[in-house]
Amino acid sequence: MRTVLVTGPGGAGRTTVAAATALAAARSGRRTLLVSADEVPALPAGTEDTERLTSVRVDSAAHFRDELLELQDRASGVLDLLGANRLDGEELTELPGSAQLAVLHTLRRAAEDSRTGDGCEVLVVDLPPLTDALALLALPGQLRRYLRRLLPRERQAARALRPVLAQLAGVPMPAQWLYEAAARKDAELAAVQALIEDAATTVRLVAEPGHAAGEALSSARTALALHGLRVDSVVASRVLPRHSADPWFADLAARQEKCLDHWHQEWAPGTPVRESAHLGREPRTLEDLSLLAGDCAPDDRTPGHAGDPWWTETAEDGVISWCLPLPGAAKEDLRLVRRGDELLLTAGPFHRIVRLESALRRCTVSGAALTDGVLRVRFTPDPALWPRTP
């Protein structure tokens, strides 16, 4: 399944570009699913262009209500023991963060349908604005790490001893349903993580040419490299005509053109910058989307997730450098912390925790440097842990 994740700075026509991308994919003859939390422009059913296109709107309130009611039913024994009053669905109001979980749930369903052969061939996801979207894409891996730390799978083997352990500790041990719920959630998150990290998944950035948007895209470029995600294109939206008799209009178009020249240079050669013309109105109809679809067709030749983007280099003195490409990163924005077998890496407002390779776990961090957009973390073998040679 080809997946295109669409995001960008707020107010740049992200949802419209996502809808135009989905329309272009459907016109190519492939079953296409468009997922969005916002209302998309009109896509009337029954036409030749839209019969292969399905649009799904994420309902975060309904998802939050269903999940909490299911959890309440599974924990009914504990709640009854405590004398708790059950919550009714009508009185539940979604909490912050539920929108992100609802999007992950929708992506999981799409991944499951694709594996059974009943799903779509192209999945287009209208993600939240840039910063929130980057946090959302990292969320499955983060939640799985929390589950492994809080409820390790190996502790399930001791479930027969829980009554004895409860008497010795003087506190009740976690019930089996809790481990089963954790395993089920881990499997669901793993499916979403696999979809995001699939080689056929790319990110499409949408921005209106301007200084603020350029800074946001540069920051996103570093964050995407940090997580091994690749951008198939940058769509410059609402591009004005180059020539106009109106001085004010011509000045605005000239500033856009200057910004576009910079984007072409910054993202070249691997990432094309597509220019989507300003229609002079808000796109609302199928005809409007048709005018934009030609600039938004998914490119299947662009590789998706970079896999493991790190590589190692070994010096003559035995020092091992762990290398990670971070285009656009600034030295003053980088922070590294070694914690046991993990490396906590921060690039500006973005974070990632990576587990070290087995060889690097037997080393100490002896320094780091950022050169030509590549971060090199130096590891020196620890004599107490490294095998000795005659």
Side-chain angles (χ1 to χ4, degrees):
M1 180 175 65
R2 177 73 168 91
T3 303
V4 182
L5 308 172
V6 183
T7 184
R14 179 192 71 251
T15 301
T16 300
V17 170
T21 301
L23 179 61
R27 282 181 169 178
S28 68
R30 293 176 289 181
R31 299 189 309 275
T32 305
L33 174 63
L34 171 63
V35 174
S36 177
D38 299 322
E39 186 172 351
V40 300
L43 293 171
T47 65
E48 183 179 354
D49 290 333
T50 60
E51 62 183 6
R52 290 179 293 271
L53 176 58
T54 305
S55 177
V56 173
R57 187 171 183 180
V58 179
D59 189 343
S60 58
H63 175 262
F64 174 79
R65 182 173 58 252
D66 295 341
E67 287 287 300
L68 191 56
L69 291 176
E70 181 184 357
L71 178 61
Q72 185 175 247
D73 291 339
R74 291 183 178 275
S76 58
V78 176
L79 295 176
D80 293 341
L81 182 63
L82 297 175
N85 293 323
R86 300 290 187 90
L87 295 170
D88 295 327
E90 292 76 11
E91 62 181 307
L92 294 178
T93 303
E94 63 177 310
L95 298 176
S98 59
Q100 291 86 340
L101 296 178
V103 173
L104 296 181
H105 173 76
T106 305
L107 295 183
R108 178 182 65 83
R109 293 289 300 273
E112 291 177 349
D113 292 343
S114 176
R115 285 198 299 268
T116 61
D118 298 328
C120 59
E121 298 171 275
V122 178
L123 172 63
V124 180
V125 186
D126 174 27
L127 292 177
L130 200 49
T131 302
D132 294 336
L134 293 170
L136 173 64
L137 295 177
L139 188 58
Q142 292 174 344
L143 293 178
R144 295 188 69 198
R145 179 176 177 271
Y146 296 156
L147 286 174
R148 289 193 296 268
R149 291 289 298 273
L150 296 174
L151 293 171
R153 293 179 179 176
E154 56 269 18
R155 293 189 181 178
Q156 299 183 48
R159 60 179 178 268
L161 300 177
R162 283 175 194 154
V164 178
L165 295 175
Q167 292 180 359
L168 294 176
V171 295
M173 302 300 291
Q176 178 63 20
W177 71 267
L178 182 59
Y179 285 100
E180 293 174 351
R184 185 171 58 256
K185 289 300 179 185
D186 181 75
E188 294 174 358
L189 291 169
V192 180
Q193 187 176 6
L195 172 65
I196 295 173
E197 297 180 353
D198 191 271
T201 297
T202 57
V203 178
R204 176 161 296 183
L205 298 176
V206 183
E208 187 172 348
H211 178 71
E215 290 186 343
L217 291 181
S218 296
S219 179
R221 188 183 181 193
T222 303
L224 291 168
L226 180 65
H227 293 282
L229 294 167
R230 288 186 175 168
V231 180
D232 65 6
S233 62
V234 175
V235 179
S237 63
R238 302 169 183 167
V239 176
L240 300 172
R242 293 292 195 271
H243 306 287
S244 173
D246 188 321
W248 180 87
F249 192 88
D251 179 67
L252 184 59
R255 281 183 283 172
Q256 277 195 347
E257 185 174 7
K258 182 178 179 181
C259 179
L260 286 171
D261 290 340
H262 176 72
W263 288 3
H264 281 289
Q265 296 176 8
E266 180 181 8
W267 290 90
T271 305
V273 177
R274 306 183 183 186
E275 300 182 17
S276 179
H278 199 304
L279 299 181
R281 60 186 181 278
E282 286 294 326
R284 291 294 181 188
T285 65
L286 182 61
E287 289 72 19
D288 292 336
L289 291 181
S290 298
L291 296 174
L292 303 175
D295 299 319
C296 300
D299 185 359
D300 294 339
R301 296 171 297 177
T302 303
H305 194 274
D308 188 354
W310 288 269
W311 73 89
T312 57
E313 297 174 349
T314 304
E316 294 181 357
D317 56 0
V319 175
I320 303 173
S321 294
W322 201 24
C323 307
L324 171 66
L326 286 178
K331 181 179 179 180
E332 58 272 16
D333 294 333
L334 293 179
R335 184 169 178 265
L336 292 169
V337 176
R338 168 78 180 271
R339 183 184 181 279
D341 294 341
E342 295 177 329
L343 187 67
L344 285 64
L345 177 58
T346 299
F350 308 104
H351 311 273
R352 187 177 184 186
I353 300 176
V354 293
R355 185 172 176 82
L356 297 174
E357 300 175 2
S358 58
L360 299 180
R361 297 174 204 163
R362 295 173 285 161
C363 301
T364 58
V365 177
S366 54
L370 179 66
T371 307
D372 297 330
V374 177
L375 173 66
R376 288 177 169 84
V377 185
R378 294 187 296 274
F379 290 83
T380 301
D382 186 345
L385 300 175
W386 202 263
R388 296 184 179 182
T389 57

